[in-house]
Structure formats: structure tokens, C-alpha cells
Amino acid sequence: MIQHHLDDDMLQQYAAGTLAEGWGVAVATHLALCPTCRSALSVLESVGGYFIDNETFDNTDVSKSWESLREKIDAGRIDKVVPIKKRLSSDRTYPEPLRTYIEAAGGLKWRQLGRGAAQMMIPTRDETTTVRLLKIPAGQPVPEHSHRGVELTLVLDGSFSDEVSTFARGDVEMADDSLMHQPKADADKDCICLAVTEAPLRFKSRFLRLIQPLLGI
Ligand SMILES: [Zn+2]
């Protein structure tokens, strides 16, 4: 049972088609695993369509409708489930569309990070994000990583816990640099996650690239 869902902003941007590809991969993969967010999306899409069709599109209106619809969904009064694409395979570790990305990269290729942890970069055409798979051995902390800006973690197998909660298959955690946490894979199983982060700024100047770590940007 998925406990931690996509935030509404991200789902709205996904529905509007304005979400960058890196985040989109994680959102679509969560949707493949999560009937709750699939019904939320279908409602959102029809609401968005309604406001656009009636030329009364207004962010506040949409948000208000969204809030009340979300309440109905949460209360179980709307439970229409719309399958995302046909190739949905929610019982495997890597659902679509993630699987296609992995296959395009030549299949699963883990690179060791030390202490049993491993990662695989997932190439996308989106330069504003970095997408990777992370494997954390059972009972081990997630390797130290500095991230500036937002990080989205979607659990695909096993589970991890931090000071906030426990996150199992399908759960999403959004973190930014204001959240101090030390996630640790739970003891019973290795934990595999999809992690999307904002890519560091890329400078054309070699000098700026060299001093970038010193500037912390
Ligand atoms: Zn969800």
C-alpha cells in the first residue's frame, strides 16, 4: 500500500505537459504503480480540459477545484482508475516507462559506489535534471551525497527509513536542502530507488567550471 504520493504541483505540471523529462520519468513510473495518483491525474486532466475549453482558465480556480476533488478522492468517493498506457506492468521491479529508459541505456549496468552501494545513470534528453537508479544494501545508510535543490526518490524495491517515515515500493519522497535526513535501507532487503535531482548548473567557461565547487553552485 503506497503511503507517500506525488505532490499536487508535480501532478498538475505533468497533466499540463510542462514537466521536464527527468521528473516526468519518475512521475510516470509512480503512476504505473499507484492507482490513487492515476485517478487523481484523470480528474485533473478533465478539470484542466474544462477550464481551458471554457476560456476561464485561472490558476486559483483550478487549485480550488483540485483541492476539493482531491478531498473526494482521498475520501474514496472517486475511484475511477485509468490505466496509463497499455504496457503497464506493476508487478515487476522496473515498470514502464522506466524500463524503456533502462533498455535504451543497454540494460541494467550497476556502477559500484563503495560499501555495497551502486548506481546507474539513466540518460534522458533533459539537461536540467539528473536521473539515476540507486541500490543500497540492506541495513546500510544511503551514500553521502550533497544535493542542492529538489530531490525526488521513488522506491522500486525494498524500503528505506529516515527521521520522517518509512518508504516502500511505490512511495515517493521529495526532499530539498532544508531537509536534514539520513535515510537507511531497511534490514530485510536491498533497496532500489529511482532518484531525480536538479542538475548542477553547467558553465561553458572552463575557469567557471573549475571554481564551481568552491562557489557551491
Ligand atoms: Zn500516488
Side-chain angles (χ1 to χ4, degrees):
M1 193 65 195
I2 294 174
Q3 304 286 339
H4 303 278
H5 298 275
L6 299 166
D7 72 39
D8 294 350
D9 274 357
M10 206 162 252
L11 208 54
Q12 277 179 2
Q13 287 182 52
Y14 182 81
T18 57
L19 199 60
E21 185 186 4
W23 308 110
V25 176
V27 168
T29 303
H30 174 82
L31 286 165
L33 298 170
C34 182
T36 307
C37 286
R38 286 204 295 276
S39 31
L41 178 68
S42 74
V43 171
L44 191 54
E45 283 169 342
S46 48
V47 172
Y50 172 82
F51 282 104
I52 290 160
D53 290 347
N54 288 277
E55 292 179 28
T56 53
F57 184 80
D58 178 305
N59 278 329
T60 47
D61 283 351
V62 170
S63 301
K64 227 167 40 188
S65 312
W66 175 234
E67 286 305 325
S68 72
L69 285 164
R70 183 86 200 212
E71 277 170 30
K72 288 179 197 157
I73 292 160
D74 288 344
R77 273 173 283 157
I78 297 178
D79 59 1
K80 196 174 89 178
V81 173
V82 178
I84 298 296
K85 306 283 189 290
K86 310 297 167 256
R87 293 182 295 162
L88 190 145
S89 48
S90 54
D91 56 342
R92 315 264 190 93
T93 304
Y94 307 98
E96 294 292 356
L98 178 58
R99 182 181 307 184
T100 298
Y101 279 85
I102 296 171
E103 281 164 6
L108 273 179
K109 278 178 251 157
W110 293 105
R111 281 190 55 182
Q112 298 305 315
L113 291 172
R115 303 187 57 174
Q119 75 172 9
M120 176 185 168
M121 303 306 291
I122 306 285
T124 72
R125 284 146 298 184
D126 172 17
E127 291 192 345
T128 65
T129 55
T130 300
V131 183
R132 77 190 90 201
L133 288 170
L134 265 177
K135 193 196 291 184
I136 304 117
Q140 294 290 311
V142 173
E144 210 64 58
H145 61 298
S146 64
H147 56 83
R148 315 169 201 103
V150 181
E151 179 178 50
L152 183 159
T153 307
L154 167 66
V155 179
L156 297 166
D157 199 22
S159 58
F160 73 83
S161 298
D162 63 13
E163 293 83 345
V164 179
S165 192
T166 290
F167 298 84
R169 177 166 165 84
D171 281 332
V172 173
E173 183 176 49
M174 296 290 293
D176 60 26
D177 29 24
S178 69
L179 179 68
M180 294 291 292
H181 66 152
Q182 182 50 269
K184 207 174 156 186
D186 293 329
D188 53 329
K189 205 175 181 193
D190 292 354
C191 182
I192 295 174
C193 298
L194 178 68
V196 184
T197 46
E198 290 174 323
L201 293 170
R202 263 202 208 106
F203 291 109
K204 286 217 174 90
S205 147
R206 190 162 168 264
F207 172 71
L208 281 174
R209 281 205 309 271
L210 278 171
I211 64 165
Q212 198 170 358
L214 305 174
L215 299 172
I217 54 174

